[in-house]
Amino acid sequence: MYYKHLIKKLSDKYNLEKIGKLRDGNIEEIYLLDEGLTNYKSNTLYFGYLSQLGKIDTIPKYCILAKDIKNTDIKNININIKNTDIESENNYLEGVFLIDPNDFFSTFNQAKKDIDSSNGKEFYTDLVKLAKETKDIDRVVNSASSRLGSSIILCDEELKIIAYSESIEVTDDVWKNNIERGYCDYKFISHAQNFIDKMSANQSVEAISMNCYNSKNNKYISNIFLSARHVGYIIMIEEENKITPIHLAMLSDMSRAITEISSTVLQNLFQTNTDCEELLYNLLIGMPVEKALNKINSKGTSKYYMLVSIRTEDKDEIYFKRKLKIDFKKIMPSTQVIYHKAGLVAIYQMNDRIQLEKITIEKIKKLISEENIKVGISNIFYDFNNLPLYYNQAETAIRLSNSISKDEKITKYSSYQFYDLLDGIKDSSKLKDLCHPALEKLRSYDLMNSTLLYKSLKKYLECGHNLQKASEELYIHRNTLSYRLNRISEIGDLNLSDHEECFIILASFKIEKYLGY
């Protein structure tokens, strides 16, 4: 609240005597003058007594003093002007007002009430203004957190994390884990279900105390509504600063601000999922299959499904939620897409198994051609019972491709399934001992003679012993490849017609690739 406005309101009820010109500035807090203080906040109004001025070394920028001594000429009181909190010695009295001692406490209480009330209005206005300027919900949440002095978490109605404060970090272990996952798991939700049901049924934004499973910090929660529909929650967690009734009122104001922001500025902040998308999310957080299916009363209509995970380090949450999800839905309208763990998860479905993989990959290639995005694709599956397993497959494909084939944008788990098996071996140093000794011979021969026998054998085996296909991919004549295969058999002492030996050699190539050879 601006000082001029506050003084005007107080002057309507009380007799305030102005000393010098009236300075102006934003007032956010109100304190009683303490003789032990030497540093005063520039955004704070101090109440004290005129007699205190002879006992302090500085004058606050804004203060209202009760005239408790006969000498009312403040300029005659001995004050060390050079140590004042004012920019110039000539204007150090501009923020000072005098009042009758009998009005001291009533004026103080009225000023506190006006400042607190104004803070709520300005808090709402500032958050909405910041959202319009930045279109960044993280900036809004961080600004609110700094003003409230507590950590803040913004969730949708399913308790998926939309944003959280970093200006004041969340220290509560339970909520730190929820933030890291990007959602509250099924165990957490099960314990909080009764409370959440009551909150969502309550048509108020009044902030109330919240108890969480295994969570020690004091927490308060406020509903968020959009067009009279419940869409989410704001959770305030007490950190070092004690939460007061003023903070609770401001939390409710933040809820109203988020409603305004999500309806006018960030209209995709809270998204409605289809039944299948809700099913996908519930299964990923660990809800039992039967309960998840009963919850939406849907079991799907297609015969084959394939799960896709989309991740990037360059894009933020709003990008995923606004643009990429919409783009995916455009190219394949039947696709079910949700935001999960700071990425997108999509389920493609079709009755033709071969066409499912072919069409899906073609469309994804077209969509991400200009983007720095990694896509992991699970094996094809037939029901939802093991959906988390297929999500892990898609994630594993991305993780392994980042270390094995960094330039590969679209990675199928089927191409990395053998590497996933190798990844489960604790002592990777033993893997080298499993490789066929012929590979080391071929690598040494190539190095000494500038040949490509190692590469030629690898391509031949990868092409399933198809001489024509392998020679085309190597850009050589098939007779040249035949000659190389004969040399390979001689140097490596190999029988390339022995399927068992060829299997071991091909596995050895994969092991060496995994080990970085």
Side-chain angles (χ1 to χ4, degrees):
M1 185 175 194
Y2 283 98
Y3 194 42
K4 283 184 178 180
H5 296 159
L6 177 62
I7 292 300
K8 186 177 184 303
K9 290 190 70 173
L10 294 176
S11 298
D12 292 339
K13 289 186 177 182
Y14 308 101
N15 182 25
L16 273 68
E17 182 182 339
K18 182 171 63 173
I19 307 297
K21 295 180 180 180
L22 173 61
R23 69 168 57 250
D24 198 15
N26 190 39
I27 304 296
E28 296 182 2
E29 297 178 290
I30 181 170
Y31 287 153
L32 291 173
L33 194 59
D34 187 340
E35 296 169 11
L37 288 176
T38 56
N39 294 314
Y40 298 101
K41 296 181 180 180
S42 61
N43 62 350
T44 300
L45 170 62
Y46 292 86
F47 269 72
Y49 292 89
L50 192 58
S51 59
Q52 289 180 280
L53 292 192
K55 304 173 185 178
I56 61 177
D57 293 330
T58 63
I59 296 179
K61 193 172 183 179
Y62 307 102
C63 62
I64 295 178
L65 306 173
K67 297 185 291 184
D68 61 334
I69 55 177
K70 292 182 180 180
N71 182 9
T72 59
D73 188 355
I74 190 172
K75 295 180 181 179
N76 292 332
I77 297 176
N78 183 27
I79 302 170
N80 185 357
I81 297 176
K82 291 182 179 179
N83 291 330
T84 63
D85 189 35
I86 312 301
E87 296 85 351
S88 168
E89 295 183 13
N90 297 323
N91 62 2
Y92 75 100
L93 297 176
E94 290 182 3
V96 179
F97 282 81
L98 302 179
I99 57 171
D100 190 304
N102 295 324
D103 294 334
F104 181 84
F105 288 105
S106 58
T107 308
F108 177 89
N109 290 333
Q110 183 62 49
K112 189 176 190 315
K113 182 180 178 181
D114 290 341
I115 291 171
D116 290 344
S117 174
S118 175
N119 279 343
K121 293 177 183 177
E122 291 177 2
F123 185 53
Y124 170 94
T125 303
D126 290 345
L127 293 182
V128 174
K129 181 181 178 183
L130 181 62
K132 289 180 178 178
E133 290 174 350
T134 65
K135 294 180 173 54
D136 186 343
I137 193 62
D138 292 326
R139 291 276 299 274
V140 173
V141 169
N142 277 316
S143 175
S145 175
S146 298
R147 294 275 288 271
L148 289 166
S150 299
S151 56
I152 295 291
I153 301 171
L154 176 63
C155 306
D156 69 7
E157 62 178 341
E158 300 289 341
L159 290 180
K160 293 193 287 288
I161 310 298
I162 295 175
Y164 55 91
S165 62
E166 292 180 321
S167 54
I168 297 180
E169 293 185 4
V170 175
T171 61
D172 183 275
D173 289 337
V174 171
W175 280 98
K176 280 172 67 177
N177 290 335
N178 289 337
I179 288 171
E180 186 175 342
R181 281 192 301 265
Y183 61 90
C184 299
D185 62 16
Y186 180 64
K187 184 177 182 180
F188 179 93
I189 293 175
S190 296
H191 281 89
Q193 194 63 60
N194 289 337
F195 177 82
I196 294 301
D197 289 343
K198 290 178 182 178
M199 277 296 297
S200 57
N202 180 12
Q203 295 298 305
S204 170
V205 296
E206 179 184 0
I208 63 173
S209 178
M210 177 188 188
N211 293 319
C212 295
Y213 172 72
N214 277 348
S215 178
K216 297 179 181 179
N217 296 48
N218 291 329
K219 286 164 291 297
Y220 295 87
I221 186 170
S222 178
N223 283 319
I224 302 171
F225 297 94
L226 188 59
S227 301
R229 179 175 62 89
H230 181 260
V231 294
Y233 309 94
I234 301 175
I235 298 166
M236 177 169 63
I237 303 178
E238 189 174 78
E239 303 293 348
E240 294 182 359
N241 298 320
K242 199 77 175 175
I243 292 176
T244 69
I246 294 173
H247 296 127
L248 298 184
M250 292 176 71
L251 186 64
S252 296
D253 289 326
M254 183 181 178
S255 290
R256 297 184 185 95
I258 295 297
T259 295
E260 175 67 18
I261 290 167
S262 59
S263 62
T264 59
V265 184
L266 302 175
Q267 296 175 336
N268 289 310
L269 193 59
F270 299 98
Q271 295 190 346
T272 302
N273 289 332
T274 65
D275 278 354
C276 197
E277 286 169 345
E278 185 180 347
L279 171 63
L280 173 59
Y281 172 72
N282 287 332
L283 290 173
L284 288 174
I285 68 171
M287 184 179 289
V289 177
E290 295 77 12
K291 187 167 184 177
L293 289 171
N294 290 335
K295 189 175 180 182
I296 66 169
N297 194 27
S298 172
K299 295 190 177 181
T301 57
S302 298
K303 187 176 180 181
Y304 300 106
Y305 301 89
M306 188 164 63
L307 189 142
V308 176
S309 178
I310 305 101
R311 290 191 169 275
T312 180
E313 295 181 357
D314 294 346
K315 307 296 182 184
D316 58 18
E317 180 178 351
I318 298 299
Y319 170 82
F320 273 112
K321 282 192 170 181
R322 282 186 176 179
K323 184 178 184 298
L324 201 56
K325 180 176 179 178
I326 294 170
D327 290 345
F328 264 79
K329 298 283 279 187
K330 281 181 180 178
I331 63 169
M332 292 189 77
S334 63
T335 304
Q336 312 302 323
V337 186
I338 66 166
Y339 181 82
H340 182 69
K341 285 189 176 180
L344 288 182
V345 180
I347 283 190
Y348 291 87
Q349 50 191 319
M350 199 174 288
N351 289 320
D352 187 317
R353 189 182 194 281
I354 297 175
Q355 288 298 309
L356 172 60
E357 182 171 314
K358 181 181 178 182
I359 293 175
T360 300
I361 292 176
E362 284 178 357
K363 289 183 177 292
I364 292 175
K365 278 183 179 178
K366 184 177 180 181
L367 180 64
I368 69 169
S369 59
E370 302 299 324
E371 304 282 0
N372 184 22
I373 290 173
K374 281 273 192 177
V375 175
I377 300 176
S378 76
N379 290 338
I380 289 175
F381 56 100
Y382 312 100
D383 58 50
F384 291 111
N385 286 306
N386 292 312
L387 189 141
L389 167 67
Y390 297 104
Y391 171 72
N392 288 332
Q393 285 184 357
E395 287 283 284
T396 299
I398 294 175
R399 176 177 59 81
L400 290 174
S401 71
N402 283 335
S403 59
I404 298 172
S405 304
K406 294 183 179 180
D407 295 332
E408 195 173 13
K409 284 190 172 185
I410 300 176
T411 57
K412 295 191 297 181
Y413 178 73
S414 57
S415 301
Y416 287 86
Q417 201 158 352
F418 185 80
Y419 300 116
D420 192 17
L421 179 66
L422 299 179
D423 211 43
I425 299 175
K426 292 182 179 180
D427 188 358
S428 60
S429 63
K430 294 181 179 179
L431 291 175
K432 179 59 180 170
D433 297 336
L434 301 175
C435 293
H436 197 292
L439 299 192
E440 182 64 36
K441 290 181 181 179
L442 294 175
R443 207 170 25 247
S444 299
Y445 184 89
D446 285 341
L447 185 63
M448 293 177 62
N449 298 279
S450 300
T451 54
L452 298 171
L453 300 185
Y454 182 96
K455 181 180 178 181
S456 299
L457 176 60
K458 183 172 183 288
K459 181 60 67 176
Y460 175 69
L461 295 178
E462 287 176 344
C463 290
H465 297 247
N466 188 321
L467 193 66
Q468 183 64 37
K469 183 180 179 183
S471 60
E472 287 175 358
E473 292 193 15
L474 288 168
Y475 301 102
I476 59 176
H477 195 276
R478 59 180 294 160
N479 291 342
T480 303
L481 180 56
S482 294
Y483 170 77
R484 289 183 184 179
L485 292 175
N486 289 330
R487 291 292 295 140
I488 287 168
S489 297
E490 293 173 5
I491 295 167
D493 192 20
L494 298 175
N495 180 6
L496 296 182
S497 61
D498 185 333
H499 295 294
E500 190 69 27
E501 185 166 38
C502 287
F503 171 78
I504 294 172
I505 296 170
L506 186 57
S508 299
F509 276 118
K510 289 182 178 292
I511 291 172
E512 292 199 344
K513 184 175 182 180
Y514 176 79
L515 295 174
Y517 284 86

mmCIF file of all heavy atoms in Angstrom, residues 257-285:
data_model
loop_
_atom_site.group_PDB
_atom_site.id
_atom_site.type_symbol
_atom_site.label_atom_id
_atom_site.label_comp_id
_atom_site.label_asym_id
_atom_site.label_seq_id
_atom_site.Cartn_x
_atom_site.Cartn_y
_atom_site.Cartn_z
ATOM 1 N N ALA A 257 -6.030 -15.746 -8.045
ATOM 2 C CA ALA A 257 -5.148 -15.267 -9.118
ATOM 3 C C ALA A 257 -4.876 -16.368 -10.137
ATOM 4 O O ALA A 257 -4.884 -16.126 -11.349
ATOM 5 C CB ALA A 257 -3.837 -14.753 -8.531
ATOM 6 N N ILE A 258 -4.642 -17.599 -9.663
ATOM 7 C CA ILE A 258 -4.396 -18.719 -10.569
ATOM 8 C C ILE A 258 -5.625 -18.992 -11.428
ATOM 9 O O ILE A 258 -5.516 -19.318 -12.620
ATOM 10 C CB ILE A 258 -3.992 -19.989 -9.781
ATOM 11 C CG1 ILE A 258 -2.647 -19.780 -9.083
ATOM 12 C CG2 ILE A 258 -3.923 -21.195 -10.704
ATOM 13 C CD1 ILE A 258 -1.477 -19.556 -10.008
ATOM 14 N N THR A 259 -6.821 -18.833 -10.844
ATOM 15 C CA THR A 259 -8.054 -18.979 -11.623
ATOM 16 C C THR A 259 -8.092 -17.966 -12.757
ATOM 17 O O THR A 259 -8.391 -18.305 -13.910
ATOM 18 C CB THR A 259 -9.291 -18.787 -10.716
ATOM 19 O OG1 THR A 259 -9.320 -19.846 -9.753
ATOM 20 C CG2 THR A 259 -10.579 -18.804 -11.536
ATOM 21 N N GLU A 260 -7.768 -16.725 -12.441
ATOM 22 C CA GLU A 260 -7.757 -15.670 -13.460
ATOM 23 C C GLU A 260 -6.686 -15.947 -14.508
ATOM 24 O O GLU A 260 -6.929 -15.819 -15.715
ATOM 25 C CB GLU A 260 -7.501 -14.315 -12.784
ATOM 26 C CG GLU A 260 -7.334 -13.136 -13.742
ATOM 27 C CD GLU A 260 -8.621 -12.800 -14.489
ATOM 28 O OE1 GLU A 260 -9.710 -13.229 -14.051
ATOM 29 O OE2 GLU A 260 -8.536 -12.115 -15.515
ATOM 30 N N ILE A 261 -5.503 -16.363 -14.070
ATOM 31 C CA ILE A 261 -4.385 -16.635 -14.983
ATOM 32 C C ILE A 261 -4.717 -17.789 -15.924
ATOM 33 O O ILE A 261 -4.467 -17.731 -17.130
ATOM 34 C CB ILE A 261 -3.111 -16.952 -14.170
ATOM 35 C CG1 ILE A 261 -2.603 -15.682 -13.470
ATOM 36 C CG2 ILE A 261 -2.016 -17.537 -15.061
ATOM 37 C CD1 ILE A 261 -1.557 -15.947 -12.400
ATOM 38 N N SER A 262 -5.306 -18.871 -15.375
ATOM 39 C CA SER A 262 -5.589 -20.053 -16.195
ATOM 40 C C SER A 262 -6.768 -19.848 -17.134
ATOM 41 O O SER A 262 -6.922 -20.584 -18.103
ATOM 42 C CB SER A 262 -5.852 -21.269 -15.296
ATOM 43 O OG SER A 262 -6.943 -21.036 -14.437
ATOM 44 N N SER A 263 -7.584 -18.841 -16.859
ATOM 45 C CA SER A 263 -8.722 -18.589 -17.756
ATOM 46 C C SER A 263 -8.409 -17.549 -18.827
ATOM 47 O O SER A 263 -9.065 -17.499 -19.865
ATOM 48 C CB SER A 263 -9.944 -18.136 -16.947
ATOM 49 O OG SER A 263 -9.672 -16.920 -16.271
ATOM 50 N N THR A 264 -7.365 -16.732 -18.612
ATOM 51 C CA THR A 264 -7.079 -15.646 -19.558
ATOM 52 C C THR A 264 -5.689 -15.699 -20.181
ATOM 53 O O THR A 264 -5.506 -15.279 -21.317
ATOM 54 C CB THR A 264 -7.237 -14.280 -18.861
ATOM 55 O OG1 THR A 264 -6.328 -14.213 -17.742
ATOM 56 C CG2 THR A 264 -8.666 -14.068 -18.371
ATOM 57 N N VAL A 265 -4.698 -16.198 -19.447
ATOM 58 C CA VAL A 265 -3.311 -16.134 -19.921
ATOM 59 C C VAL A 265 -2.771 -17.520 -20.283
ATOM 60 O O VAL A 265 -2.323 -17.750 -21.405
ATOM 61 C CB VAL A 265 -2.392 -15.486 -18.859
ATOM 62 C CG1 VAL A 265 -0.966 -15.340 -19.407
ATOM 63 C CG2 VAL A 265 -2.936 -14.139 -18.426
ATOM 64 N N LEU A 266 -2.810 -18.433 -19.326
ATOM 65 C CA LEU A 266 -2.283 -19.789 -19.543
ATOM 66 C C LEU A 266 -3.453 -20.761 -19.569
ATOM 67 O O LEU A 266 -3.708 -21.496 -18.618
ATOM 68 C CB LEU A 266 -1.293 -20.146 -18.420
ATOM 69 C CG LEU A 266 -0.090 -19.214 -18.261
ATOM 70 C CD1 LEU A 266 0.733 -19.588 -17.048
ATOM 71 C CD2 LEU A 266 0.772 -19.224 -19.517
ATOM 72 N N GLN A 267 -4.149 -20.789 -20.693
ATOM 73 C CA GLN A 267 -5.414 -21.518 -20.763
ATOM 74 C C GLN A 267 -5.247 -23.032 -20.812
ATOM 75 O O GLN A 267 -6.233 -23.758 -20.657
ATOM 76 C CB GLN A 267 -6.217 -21.021 -21.967
ATOM 77 C CG GLN A 267 -6.619 -19.556 -21.825
ATOM 78 C CD GLN A 267 -7.312 -19.011 -23.057
ATOM 79 O OE1 GLN A 267 -7.126 -19.524 -24.145
ATOM 80 N NE2 GLN A 267 -8.100 -17.963 -22.874
ATOM 81 N N ASN A 268 -4.028 -23.512 -21.037
ATOM 82 C CA ASN A 268 -3.789 -24.957 -21.031
ATOM 83 C C ASN A 268 -3.105 -25.411 -19.746
ATOM 84 O O ASN A 268 -2.552 -26.508 -19.692
ATOM 85 C CB ASN A 268 -2.926 -25.349 -22.240
ATOM 86 C CG ASN A 268 -3.684 -25.245 -23.544
ATOM 87 O OD1 ASN A 268 -4.785 -25.761 -23.657
ATOM 88 N ND2 ASN A 268 -3.115 -24.557 -24.508
ATOM 89 N N LEU A 269 -3.167 -24.567 -18.725
ATOM 90 C CA LEU A 269 -2.508 -24.906 -17.464
ATOM 91 C C LEU A 269 -3.138 -26.145 -16.838
ATOM 92 O O LEU A 269 -2.444 -27.036 -16.353
ATOM 93 C CB LEU A 269 -2.608 -23.716 -16.499
ATOM 94 C CG LEU A 269 -1.720 -23.764 -15.262
ATOM 95 C CD1 LEU A 269 -0.259 -23.845 -15.634
ATOM 96 C CD2 LEU A 269 -1.971 -22.533 -14.385
ATOM 97 N N PHE A 270 -4.449 -26.201 -16.848
ATOM 98 C CA PHE A 270 -5.168 -27.368 -16.333
ATOM 99 C C PHE A 270 -5.886 -28.041 -17.505
ATOM 100 O O PHE A 270 -6.780 -27.440 -18.099
ATOM 101 C CB PHE A 270 -6.185 -26.955 -15.267
ATOM 102 C CG PHE A 270 -5.569 -26.297 -14.072
ATOM 103 C CD1 PHE A 270 -5.548 -24.912 -13.964
ATOM 104 C CD2 PHE A 270 -4.998 -27.048 -13.065
ATOM 105 C CE1 PHE A 270 -4.982 -24.290 -12.874
ATOM 106 C CE2 PHE A 270 -4.418 -26.436 -11.961
ATOM 107 C CZ PHE A 270 -4.413 -25.064 -11.861
ATOM 108 N N GLN A 271 -5.470 -29.244 -17.827
ATOM 109 C CA GLN A 271 -6.029 -29.933 -18.987
ATOM 110 C C GLN A 271 -6.913 -31.096 -18.549
ATOM 111 O O GLN A 271 -6.627 -31.778 -17.569
ATOM 112 C CB GLN A 271 -4.908 -30.455 -19.890
ATOM 113 C CG GLN A 271 -4.092 -29.329 -20.513
ATOM 114 C CD GLN A 271 -3.160 -29.831 -21.589
ATOM 115 O OE1 GLN A 271 -2.914 -31.020 -21.717
ATOM 116 N NE2 GLN A 271 -2.628 -28.924 -22.382
ATOM 117 N N THR A 272 -7.977 -31.306 -19.300
ATOM 118 C CA THR A 272 -8.889 -32.411 -19.023
ATOM 119 C C THR A 272 -8.455 -33.635 -19.821
ATOM 120 O O THR A 272 -8.286 -33.569 -21.035
ATOM 121 C CB THR A 272 -10.328 -32.034 -19.416
ATOM 122 O OG1 THR A 272 -10.706 -30.857 -18.693
ATOM 123 C CG2 THR A 272 -11.288 -33.160 -19.081
ATOM 124 N N ASN A 273 -8.271 -34.756 -19.129
ATOM 125 C CA ASN A 273 -7.866 -35.996 -19.795
ATOM 126 C C ASN A 273 -9.086 -36.789 -20.258
ATOM 127 O O ASN A 273 -10.154 -36.737 -19.643
ATOM 128 C CB ASN A 273 -7.051 -36.876 -18.835
ATOM 129 C CG ASN A 273 -5.684 -36.301 -18.555
ATOM 130 O OD1 ASN A 273 -5.117 -35.588 -19.376
ATOM 131 N ND2 ASN A 273 -5.142 -36.604 -17.394
ATOM 132 N N THR A 274 -8.901 -37.526 -21.354
ATOM 133 C CA THR A 274 -9.935 -38.467 -21.785
ATOM 134 C C THR A 274 -9.942 -39.652 -20.822
ATOM 135 O O THR A 274 -9.033 -39.813 -19.997
ATOM 136 C CB THR A 274 -9.653 -38.978 -23.200
ATOM 137 O OG1 THR A 274 -8.431 -39.739 -23.180
ATOM 138 C CG2 THR A 274 -9.505 -37.820 -24.181
ATOM 139 N N ASP A 275 -10.945 -40.519 -20.945
ATOM 140 C CA ASP A 275 -11.012 -41.699 -20.086
ATOM 141 C C ASP A 275 -9.760 -42.553 -20.214
ATOM 142 O O ASP A 275 -9.207 -43.046 -19.229
ATOM 143 C CB ASP A 275 -12.244 -42.539 -20.441
ATOM 144 C CG ASP A 275 -13.512 -41.998 -19.789
ATOM 145 O OD1 ASP A 275 -13.400 -41.058 -18.981
ATOM 146 O OD2 ASP A 275 -14.596 -42.512 -20.103
ATOM 147 N N CYS A 276 -9.301 -42.723 -21.456
ATOM 148 C CA CYS A 276 -8.130 -43.569 -21.683
ATOM 149 C C CYS A 276 -6.864 -42.913 -21.125
ATOM 150 O O CYS A 276 -5.987 -43.582 -20.596
ATOM 151 C CB CYS A 276 -7.968 -43.858 -23.177
ATOM 152 S SG CYS A 276 -6.873 -45.264 -23.515
ATOM 153 N N GLU A 277 -6.781 -41.600 -21.221
ATOM 154 C CA GLU A 277 -5.631 -40.876 -20.660
ATOM 155 C C GLU A 277 -5.634 -40.955 -19.141
ATOM 156 O O GLU A 277 -4.578 -41.082 -18.516
ATOM 157 C CB GLU A 277 -5.659 -39.432 -21.146
ATOM 158 C CG GLU A 277 -5.256 -39.280 -22.600
ATOM 159 C CD GLU A 277 -5.540 -37.903 -23.161
ATOM 160 O OE1 GLU A 277 -6.296 -37.131 -22.531
ATOM 161 O OE2 GLU A 277 -5.026 -37.595 -24.249
ATOM 162 N N GLU A 278 -6.828 -40.888 -18.550
ATOM 163 C CA GLU A 278 -6.925 -41.030 -17.102
ATOM 164 C C GLU A 278 -6.514 -42.436 -16.679
ATOM 165 O O GLU A 278 -5.818 -42.622 -15.676
ATOM 166 C CB GLU A 278 -8.354 -40.738 -16.630
ATOM 167 C CG GLU A 278 -8.491 -40.762 -15.119
ATOM 168 C CD GLU A 278 -9.892 -40.469 -14.640
ATOM 169 O OE1 GLU A 278 -10.715 -40.006 -15.449
ATOM 170 O OE2 GLU A 278 -10.165 -40.714 -13.455
ATOM 171 N N LEU A 279 -6.936 -43.427 -17.458
ATOM 172 C CA LEU A 279 -6.540 -44.804 -17.193
ATOM 173 C C LEU A 279 -5.025 -44.939 -17.267
ATOM 174 O O LEU A 279 -4.391 -45.550 -16.389
ATOM 175 C CB LEU A 279 -7.203 -45.735 -18.209
ATOM 176 C CG LEU A 279 -6.733 -47.199 -18.202
ATOM 177 C CD1 LEU A 279 -7.052 -47.855 -16.877
ATOM 178 C CD2 LEU A 279 -7.356 -47.969 -19.354
ATOM 179 N N LEU A 280 -4.422 -44.373 -18.301
ATOM 180 C CA LEU A 280 -2.972 -44.424 -18.478
ATOM 181 C C LEU A 280 -2.267 -43.826 -17.270
ATOM 182 O O LEU A 280 -1.332 -44.423 -16.717
ATOM 183 C CB LEU A 280 -2.590 -43.667 -19.757
ATOM 184 C CG LEU A 280 -1.094 -43.455 -20.037
ATOM 185 C CD1 LEU A 280 -0.377 -44.788 -20.132
ATOM 186 C CD2 LEU A 280 -0.910 -42.653 -21.312
ATOM 187 N N TYR A 281 -2.712 -42.668 -16.831
ATOM 188 C CA TYR A 281 -2.079 -42.003 -15.683
ATOM 189 C C TYR A 281 -2.220 -42.839 -14.412
ATOM 190 O O TYR A 281 -1.251 -43.040 -13.675
ATOM 191 C CB TYR A 281 -2.690 -40.621 -15.470
ATOM 192 C CG TYR A 281 -2.227 -39.968 -14.191
ATOM 193 C CD1 TYR A 281 -0.926 -39.494 -14.075
ATOM 194 C CD2 TYR A 281 -3.064 -39.867 -13.090
ATOM 195 C CE1 TYR A 281 -0.480 -38.932 -12.900
ATOM 196 C CE2 TYR A 281 -2.630 -39.304 -11.916
ATOM 197 C CZ TYR A 281 -1.333 -38.833 -11.822
ATOM 198 O OH TYR A 281 -0.897 -38.280 -10.644
ATOM 199 N N ASN A 282 -3.433 -43.343 -14.140
ATOM 200 C CA ASN A 282 -3.670 -44.114 -12.924
ATOM 201 C C ASN A 282 -2.815 -45.372 -12.874
ATOM 202 O O ASN A 282 -2.310 -45.755 -11.804
ATOM 203 C CB ASN A 282 -5.148 -44.479 -12.809
ATOM 204 C CG ASN A 282 -6.008 -43.279 -12.452
ATOM 205 O OD1 ASN A 282 -5.544 -42.341 -11.813
ATOM 206 N ND2 ASN A 282 -7.255 -43.289 -12.880
ATOM 207 N N LEU A 283 -2.627 -46.009 -14.011
ATOM 208 C CA LEU A 283 -1.783 -47.202 -14.044
ATOM 209 C C LEU A 283 -0.318 -46.856 -13.820
ATOM 210 O O LEU A 283 0.422 -47.580 -13.154
ATOM 211 C CB LEU A 283 -1.962 -47.928 -15.376
ATOM 212 C CG LEU A 283 -3.324 -48.605 -15.584
ATOM 213 C CD1 LEU A 283 -3.447 -49.129 -17.001
ATOM 214 C CD2 LEU A 283 -3.527 -49.742 -14.590
ATOM 215 N N LEU A 284 0.118 -45.729 -14.362
ATOM 216 C CA LEU A 284 1.520 -45.329 -14.216
ATOM 217 C C LEU A 284 1.867 -44.962 -12.775
ATOM 218 O O LEU A 284 3.009 -45.118 -12.346
ATOM 219 C CB LEU A 284 1.836 -44.153 -15.147
ATOM 220 C CG LEU A 284 1.919 -44.495 -16.636
ATOM 221 C CD1 LEU A 284 2.098 -43.238 -17.462
ATOM 222 C CD2 LEU A 284 3.063 -45.465 -16.913
ATOM 223 N N ILE A 285 0.890 -44.457 -12.004
ATOM 224 C CA ILE A 285 1.187 -44.102 -10.612
ATOM 225 C C ILE A 285 1.066 -45.309 -9.676
ATOM 226 O O ILE A 285 1.309 -45.192 -8.478
ATOM 227 C CB ILE A 285 0.269 -42.966 -10.094
ATOM 228 C CG1 ILE A 285 -1.186 -43.433 -9.975
ATOM 229 C CG2 ILE A 285 0.404 -41.736 -10.962
ATOM 230 C CD1 ILE A 285 -2.083 -42.419 -9.278
#
